[in-house]
Amino acid sequence: QVHLVESGGGLVQAGGSLRLSCAASARIFNTYTMGWYRRAPGKQRELVASVTGSGTTNYADSLKGRFTISRDNAENTVYLQMNSLKPEDTAVYYCNAKYSLFVYWGQGTQVTVSS
């Protein structure tokens, strides 16, 4: 069992930045592919970005250039730096950990971008 705890969400004006953090309890954190997903009101959950244990990243095409995912394997933490935020980025952001057939989710953190 992997426990994920997100932090860093909040209210920000359009054009601002936020950094989300996700602390994981996994003993072998560096074997997990970590990801950030989001669910906007009335929409399905979508992938924001992911990073493998070796550091290979993947982004939703629409977010490339504004969002950056990173991880610190020594601290069992994954980050999402979000810049130039837009009102349409408003969503609940979820941390995700995958290893083989195992998938774990955090409880989510709300990000609200005001216009």
Side-chain angles (χ1 to χ4, degrees):
Q1 184 72 21
V2 175
H3 189 52
L4 303 173
V5 179
E6 302 103 332
S7 61
L11 174 64
V12 64
Q13 288 189 331
S17 297
L18 281 175
R19 188 175 83 153
L20 305 182
S21 300
C22 172
S25 64
R27 290 185 298 170
I28 48 175
F29 176 77
N30 62 351
T31 65
Y32 285 80
T33 291
M34 302 299 297
W36 287 97
Y37 288 72
R38 69 183 185 184
R39 178 177 283 150
K43 295 187 178 181
Q44 291 187 332
R45 186 163 52 191
E46 63 176 354
L47 172 69
V48 173
S50 64
V51 57
T52 66
S54 59
T56 301
T57 57
N58 179 49
Y59 294 92
D61 287 342
S62 62
L63 301 176
K64 288 179 180 177
R66 293 196 299 123
F67 288 16
T68 302
I69 191 170
S70 61
R71 65 189 295 161
D72 183 339
N73 289 335
E75 296 294 328
N76 281 18
T77 302
V78 62
Y79 303 97
L80 183 69
Q81 179 67 42
M82 305 184 293
N83 298 327
S84 302
L85 283 162
K86 304 175 181 180
E88 52 263 43
D89 294 318
T90 294
V92 178
Y93 284 72
Y94 297 91
C95 181
N96 168 277
K98 296 181 182 178
Y99 175 70
S100 184
L101 299 179
F102 301 98
V103 181
Y104 303 96
W105 294 93
Q107 81 286 352
T109 185
Q110 176 70 46
V111 171
T112 302
V113 184
S114 62
S115 56

